[in-house]
């Protein structure tokens, strides 16, 4: 038997770095999760008292096409810099505990810059190590199809390691990407918004239900890892709010409010917590528009978002279902392992269990926003009666075109009254049933229907429609009876051929001429 030595070609570097991800912004997530792991380690070692002392600072310099990502955690000892930062996919991290664990994400920036520079200093050492990757040279080597270099040789060729003097009391890790070729990575506002939902950051100060989220996580013996992350000195916070808007970002108007949040958890047969989460309760007037940055149920592991906003859409009965909510699903079981792209989890029995129970929960949410739609539909029938009665009152004061027009109003009034009474009866049955059903539906019902306290029979002013004397629009005109009849006929023709708003306006103009 002949043993043939295994060779790993240079194209593997392209697959693991230059061609790994579809969204270029992922590089920020990768560097942040590595920094977060080191902050965790610094807290364990006593170098930082708590996570709140850790800082992850991102500086985006569009003019010079440079990005710098810095953290004040442990840094890397000088003797470990080359083994850690030159080797690919040889991470020593624990995949069940650490946020980054494959040892490939830190090189993702090679796809978008000319030079990738790692600078680090370890506390107690009076030097800093500087490892530089020549990304331009790497791309040229990979694109040269005439040569068949091995991956390790290529890495040695495009990297260089130097050291400089440093204060022995400092520790840090800094990533610098020079010569950025991708404009998206230099858009400070877009990157801030991206990290507001992807990064492990605190909830926005304007999110009124954050205390309830923290209390629930504590009751489940869970912690939500949060780090101080800054983009050009502006702290990043999760973008959850308690109002829902539509329109353009700088000219949006409020269309709904978050009235409460509900929580859920998933335990396996061993009574191990697999996942927990929360979702918002609103009137569900429509899908939450895109201008609301935090829309959709977001999947998170280690408080870092898995995939993008559409990650869990496939588990809903309707693809639109996720977008009726703000909310999070925190996957916590160690067997729920993010894949290399961090856009979902590796296939296993725990994932299958997780998906099954999420689908059950999402079926409840599906019923919830459809319940809201039905309640709003019935409430609108009562509102239509109220609004039409006001219109009837105004018309009665102003005057009808003729008796025929008044009769049309009376007929429409009776139709709306019957529809409102039927809706009232149905809402009454729902209200009784809700005494024995779920809390979310009660809240939705109260928010939508609660203001309709008067019975329809009392709302409907039957005396008005049965008034025997009909006031006509021509009654106040100072013209002869014959002319009044002619104008009434003209008004009737206008009513028949023009839309109501235009007809009313035209009749008012004609009336003004004879008053």
């Amino acid at each position: 038997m002949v043993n043939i030595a295994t060779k790993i070609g240079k194209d593997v570097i392209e697959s693991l770095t230059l061609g790994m991800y579809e969204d270029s912004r992922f590089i920020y997530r990768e560097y942040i999760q590595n920094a977060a792991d080191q902050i965790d380690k610094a807290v364990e070692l006593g170098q930082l008292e708590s996570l709140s002392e850790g800082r992850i600072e991102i500086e985006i310099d569009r003019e010079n096409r440079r990005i710098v990502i810095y953290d004040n955690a442990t840094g890397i000892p000088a003797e470990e810099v080359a083994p850690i930062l030159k080797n690919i996919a040889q991470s020593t991290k624990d995949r069940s505990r650490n946020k980054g664990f494959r040892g490939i994400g830190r090189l993702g920036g090679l796809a978008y810059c000319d030079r990738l520079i790692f600078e680090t200093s370890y506390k107690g050492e009076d030097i800093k190590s500087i490892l530089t990757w020549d990304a331009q040279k790497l791309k040229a080597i990979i694109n040269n199809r005439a040569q068949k270099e091995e991956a390790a040789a290529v890495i040695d060729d495009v990297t260089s390691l130097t050291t400089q003097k440093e204060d022995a009391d400092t520790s840090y890790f800094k990533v610098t990407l020079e010569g950025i070729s991708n404009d998206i990575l230099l858009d400070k506002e877009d990157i801030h918004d991206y990290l507001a939902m992807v990064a492990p950051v605190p909830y926005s100060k304007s999110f009124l239900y954050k205390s309830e989220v923290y209390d629930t996580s504590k009751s489940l013996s869970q912690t939500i890892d949060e780090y101080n992350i800054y983009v050009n000195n502006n702290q990043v916070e999760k973008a959850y709010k308690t109002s829902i808007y539509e329109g353009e970002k700088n000219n949006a108007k409020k269309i709904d409010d978050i009235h409460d949040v509900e929580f859920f958890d998933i335990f396996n047969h061993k009574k191990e917590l697999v996942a927990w989460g929360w979702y918002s309760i609103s009137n569900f007037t429509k899908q939450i528009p895109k201008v609301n940055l935090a829309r959709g149920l977001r999947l998170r592991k280690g408080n870092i978002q898995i995939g993008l906003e559409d990650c869990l859409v496939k588990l809903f009965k309707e693809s639109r279902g996720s977008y009726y909510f703000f909310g999070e699903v925190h996957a916590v079981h160690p067997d729920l392992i993010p894949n290399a792209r961090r856009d979902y989890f590796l296939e296993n029995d725990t994932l299958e269990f997780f998906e099954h129970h999420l689908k059950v929960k999402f079926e409840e949410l599906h019923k919830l926003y459809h319940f809201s739609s039905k309640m709003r539909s019935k409430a609108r029938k009562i509102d239509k009666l109220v609004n039409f009665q006001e219109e009837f009152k105004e018309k009665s004061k102003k005057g009808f075109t003729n008796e025929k027009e008044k009769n049309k109003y009376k007929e429409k009034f009776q139709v709306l009254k019957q529809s409102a009474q039927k809706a009232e009866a149905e809402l009454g049955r729902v209200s009784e049933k809700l005494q024995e059903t779920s809390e979310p539906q009660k809240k939705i019902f109260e928010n939508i229907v609660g203001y309709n306290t008067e019975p329809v029979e009392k709302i409907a002013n039957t005396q008005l429609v049965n008034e025997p004397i009909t006031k006509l629009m021509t009654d106040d005109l100072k013209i002869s009876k014959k002319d009044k009849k002619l104008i009434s006929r003209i008004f009737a023709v206008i009513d028949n051929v023009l839309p109501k708003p235009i007809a009313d306006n035209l009749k008012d103009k004609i009336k003004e001429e004879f008053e």
Side-chain angles (χ1 to χ4, degrees):
M1 184 175 180
V2 179
N3 289 325
I4 300 175
T6 300
K7 294 182 179 181
I8 300 177
K10 62 184 178 183
D11 287 347
V12 73
I13 304 174
E14 180 178 35
S15 298
L16 293 177
T17 59
L18 309 183
M20 188 69 180
Y21 303 89
E22 294 179 0
D23 189 336
S24 61
R25 297 174 299 177
F26 87 92
I27 66 170
Y28 288 100
R29 182 197 67 204
E30 295 296 325
Y31 293 129
I32 284 171
Q33 67 187 24
N34 286 336
D37 280 336
Q38 292 311 113
I39 291 173
D40 291 344
K41 186 175 180 181
V43 173
E44 290 178 11
L45 296 174
Q47 294 180 11
L48 296 174
E49 288 189 11
S50 65
L51 297 187
S52 62
E53 286 195 355
R55 288 178 67 90
I56 303 173
E57 300 174 2
I58 299 170
E59 186 69 27
I60 299 174
D61 183 350
R62 189 178 188 88
E63 183 177 353
N64 294 300
R65 307 196 73 81
R66 181 173 59 239
I67 297 169
V68 177
I69 303 168
Y70 166 92
D71 70 70
N72 65 339
T74 62
I76 300 175
E79 64 179 13
E80 297 179 15
V81 168
I84 290 177
L85 298 182
K86 281 184 65 176
N87 291 341
I88 295 179
Q90 281 195 330
S91 175
T92 58
K93 293 182 180 180
D94 183 348
R95 64 170 54 194
S96 67
R97 295 176 59 242
N98 296 120
K99 297 170 178 66
F101 52 80
R102 286 190 172 85
I104 56 177
R106 65 177 174 272
L107 300 181
L110 288 169
Y112 309 105
C113 67
D114 294 337
R115 288 206 310 161
L116 176 63
I117 304 166
F118 299 121
E119 295 179 60
T120 184
S121 180
Y122 193 75
K123 193 167 186 178
E125 297 182 347
D126 61 356
I127 63 170
K128 69 174 178 179
S129 302
I130 306 169
L131 182 71
T132 302
W133 286 70
D134 188 333
Q136 279 189 316
K137 187 175 183 180
L138 174 62
K139 292 167 191 173
I141 292 173
I142 290 175
N143 290 331
N144 182 356
R145 310 316 296 171
Q147 299 295 321
K148 304 295 181 183
E149 298 96 333
E150 290 193 52
V154 172
I155 293 173
D156 289 338
D157 192 17
V158 301
T159 58
S160 62
L161 177 61
T162 60
T163 59
Q164 293 179 7
K165 277 287 187 180
E166 184 58 278
D167 185 341
D169 289 331
T170 65
S171 61
Y172 60 86
F173 191 89
K174 183 166 74 170
V175 182
T176 302
L177 296 90
E178 295 183 343
I180 297 294
S181 59
N182 185 303
D183 287 338
I184 294 174
L185 297 176
L186 296 171
D187 186 334
K188 292 181 290 187
E189 185 176 356
D190 181 68
I191 296 306
H192 188 282
D193 287 349
Y194 170 77
L195 294 178
M197 296 312 301
V198 170
V201 293
Y203 294 98
S204 166
K205 295 178 180 63
S206 62
F207 183 54
L208 301 180
Y209 300 101
K210 59 184 179 181
S211 295
E212 294 181 33
V213 177
Y214 292 136
D215 289 344
T216 299
S217 68
K218 187 176 180 180
S219 71
L220 294 168
S221 301
Q222 297 296 311
T223 57
I224 303 176
D225 293 340
E226 297 175 339
Y227 302 84
N228 295 318
I229 299 176
Y230 302 83
V231 175
N232 289 38
N233 297 318
N234 294 316
Q235 186 165 13
V236 181
E237 296 177 323
K238 287 180 183 175
Y240 295 110
K241 298 180 180 179
T242 49
S243 294
I244 299 172
Y245 298 87
E246 71 176 1
E248 299 300 320
K249 186 173 184 179
N250 297 320
N251 190 30
K253 66 175 183 178
K254 187 169 75 170
I255 59 171
D256 204 349
D257 285 304
I258 302 304
H259 305 297
D260 208 344
V261 294
E262 290 289 323
F263 298 90
F264 63 92
D265 50 54
I266 299 173
F267 285 87
N268 63 18
H269 64 282
K270 296 180 182 178
K271 297 185 178 180
E272 298 169 331
L273 182 64
V274 175
W276 68 279
W278 63 270
Y279 57 91
S280 61
I281 298 295
S282 65
N283 288 348
F284 303 112
T285 54
K286 62 192 300 186
Q287 286 184 72
I288 299 175
K290 288 185 177 181
V291 70
N292 300 273
L293 186 61
R295 74 171 192 157
L297 291 181
R298 309 298 184 105
L299 179 58
R300 308 182 78 82
K301 181 71 184 283
N303 202 26
I304 297 176
Q305 184 171 287
I306 301 294
L308 295 175
E309 67 173 44
D310 60 351
C311 185
L312 293 175
V313 164
K314 63 183 180 181
L315 301 181
F316 275 84
K317 187 174 182 178
E318 298 175 310
S319 59
R320 62 177 179 152
S322 176
Y323 300 125
Y324 279 92
F325 303 89
F326 293 142
E328 297 176 312
V329 178
H330 289 270
V332 300
H333 197 281
D335 288 343
L336 291 175
I337 303 169
N339 61 26
R341 295 165 65 99
R342 204 176 176 88
D343 57 8
Y344 205 55
F345 296 126
L346 298 179
E347 296 284 342
N348 57 36
D349 291 341
T350 301
L351 177 62
E352 186 177 346
F353 179 89
F354 168 77
E355 288 185 334
H356 169 74
H357 285 271
L358 266 191
K359 285 181 179 179
V360 173
K361 172 53 65 174
F362 291 169
E363 176 64 23
E364 294 176 18
L365 302 192
H366 170 84
K367 293 177 181 178
L368 204 58
Y369 64 80
H370 277 276
F371 170 80
S372 172
S373 177
K374 290 177 182 178
M375 295 304 100
R376 282 185 283 109
S377 176
K378 297 183 188 309
R380 279 197 297 269
K381 291 178 180 179
I382 299 175
D383 290 339
K384 282 182 179 180
L385 176 65
V386 173
N387 294 335
F388 186 75
Q389 179 171 278
E390 291 302 314
E391 181 185 338
F392 204 152
K393 285 181 180 178
E394 288 299 313
K395 188 66 177 176
S396 297
K397 292 177 183 177
K398 192 175 181 180
F400 294 92
T401 300
N402 49 39
E403 191 70 32
K404 184 179 179 181
E405 185 185 30
K406 180 181 178 181
N407 289 334
K408 285 183 178 180
Y409 268 78
K410 290 172 65 176
E411 289 171 5
K412 184 174 180 181
F413 185 92
Q414 293 300 333
V415 170
L416 291 177
K417 180 182 176 182
Q418 290 174 10
S419 178
Q421 288 174 326
K422 183 178 179 181
E424 180 184 51
E426 291 173 348
L427 289 172
R429 289 191 290 271
V430 171
S431 180
E432 291 180 7
K433 190 175 180 181
L434 284 178
Q435 303 309 312
E436 304 173 359
T437 190
S438 64
E439 186 66 23
Q441 288 186 331
K442 285 183 183 178
K443 293 174 183 176
I444 292 171
F445 186 87
E446 290 168 2
N447 291 330
I448 295 174
V449 185
Y451 63 87
N452 287 317
T453 54
E454 286 191 307
V456 168
E457 191 61 45
K458 187 175 181 180
I459 294 172
N461 188 344
T462 54
Q463 183 178 356
L464 178 68
V465 298
N466 293 322
E467 178 63 47
I469 300 175
T470 300
K471 180 179 179 180
L472 302 179
M473 289 187 71
T474 56
D475 285 351
D476 296 330
L477 300 183
K478 298 176 180 179
I479 56 178
S480 66
K481 289 184 178 180
K482 182 179 179 181
D483 289 339
K484 286 181 180 180
K485 288 182 179 180
L486 176 61
I487 291 176
S488 291
R489 290 174 65 186
I490 293 171
F491 284 172
V493 172
I494 291 172
D495 285 338
N496 288 333
V497 299
L498 293 177
K500 188 176 185 305
I502 298 176
D504 288 345
N505 185 55
L506 180 57
K507 288 188 293 184
D508 286 341
K509 293 297 182 182
I510 293 173
K511 186 179 176 183
E512 288 173 8
E513 291 294 321
F514 292 95
E515 285 181 336

